[in-house]
Amino acid sequence: MTEPKPDFWYLIPHGYVPLDLNPPLEQIESLVRQVLSLPDEQRDRAERVLRFYTGIITSMNAQDVRVCLFGMHPDDQGDPTFSVVTFSTVQASGGHAKLVIAGMAGTAADSPEEGLRPLELPAGLGLLTEEMRSMPAPGPPPEGSDDPPVETVWQGTVALTCPGNSDILVLQMVTPAVDLADHYRDILIGVAHTVSFTDPSLPETAGDATDGDPEPGSVAAMVRSDFG
């Protein structure tokens, strides 16, 4: 009850859990004590993971990330693959978010080679971009180097306008499982289809369906299919 009311809502897909971006100090201190109590052969690895975790939290707070979802899924061989979904808001240039998105969507339609793709979402016009990039990875530095290890990741981004037309809501997914990019793109777009700026706890209007299965081919049916 003490937390501020959110200004957007979404469904968390199967296999993802929210990461606390503002953990209480007592929680961090407890983690440190647990790491220090580990045997020597386990402590070094646990310390690296803890440093990576605190670095992620610090970085996301510095970039005004609102939500972070951590996902783990099996690949074709049954080995775990990892991904991260974040939600953040950025102020539109000139305070005209719809004009910015519409302009970029027009560029996407005229120049598909630019890697932009317009999306028709329940919450409004959106835009999808994706790229391969190199990012720091957890683990010890390569032999003979003090720099952290680097791995190639797939990054997908969906942008859509917020009510008020001054902010852009940005959904971003990153995964090192670059060979599964098609699957993760589907998840990202599926999450984007569930985004709403209307409180789902409010009473539905008379014209809304209140029970039964969603209409085949509708966005609701698509979301139910994506997330079970």
Side-chain angles (χ1 to χ4, degrees):
M1 296 298 293
T2 60
E3 295 182 357
K5 182 180 179 179
D7 46 22
F8 62 88
W9 290 262
Y10 55 93
L11 291 181
I12 299 177
H14 177 73
Y16 287 85
V17 294
L19 182 67
D20 188 355
L21 296 178
N22 295 286
L25 179 60
E26 296 79 7
Q27 180 177 321
I28 298 298
E29 291 175 341
S30 176
L31 285 174
V32 171
R33 287 194 297 269
Q34 293 178 49
V35 169
L36 294 178
S37 66
L38 294 173
D40 292 342
E41 61 272 16
Q42 299 178 12
R43 186 185 309 148
D44 181 60
R45 183 177 180 182
E47 286 179 348
R48 290 198 303 268
V49 172
L50 181 59
R51 285 195 296 270
F52 187 70
Y53 165 72
T54 55
I56 288 177
I57 296 297
T58 301
S59 174
M60 289 190 177
N61 281 318
Q63 298 176 44
D64 294 327
V65 172
R66 306 275 300 278
V67 175
C68 176
L69 306 176
F70 180 79
M72 183 173 68
H73 301 84
D75 62 13
D76 294 337
Q77 288 73 44
D79 297 323
T81 63
F82 304 94
S83 60
V84 174
V85 177
T86 59
F87 291 72
S88 57
T89 53
V90 296
Q91 189 168 18
S93 175
H96 298 288
K98 290 184 179 180
L99 293 179
V100 172
I101 296 294
M104 296 179 70
T107 299
D110 296 336
S111 305
E113 68 278 1
E114 295 294 328
L116 302 175
R117 173 181 165 188
L119 297 174
E120 289 290 343
L121 301 172
L125 179 64
L127 193 72
L128 169 70
T129 67
E130 51 186 305
E131 62 177 323
M132 300 291 184
R133 54 181 303 187
S134 297
M135 297 185 66
E143 186 175 353
S145 173
D146 294 330
D147 297 326
V150 175
E151 64 183 345
T152 300
V153 300
W154 174 84
Q155 176 179 293
T157 304
V158 172
L160 63 155
T161 58
C162 297
N165 200 31
S166 61
D167 292 330
I168 297 175
L169 179 63
V170 178
L171 289 68
Q172 193 167 82
M173 172 179 282
V174 177
T175 178
V178 295
D179 54 329
L180 298 176
D182 290 345
H183 298 288
Y184 282 107
R185 182 191 309 110
D186 290 343
I187 296 175
L188 176 63
I189 295 175
V191 174
H193 272 86
T194 73
V195 171
S196 172
F197 298 104
T198 302
D199 188 345
S201 66
L202 295 177
E204 296 181 344
T205 61
D208 293 336
T210 57
D211 53 21
D213 293 329
E215 180 181 352
S218 68
V219 171
M222 182 190 311
V223 170
R224 177 172 294 187
S225 174
D226 286 344
F227 302 112

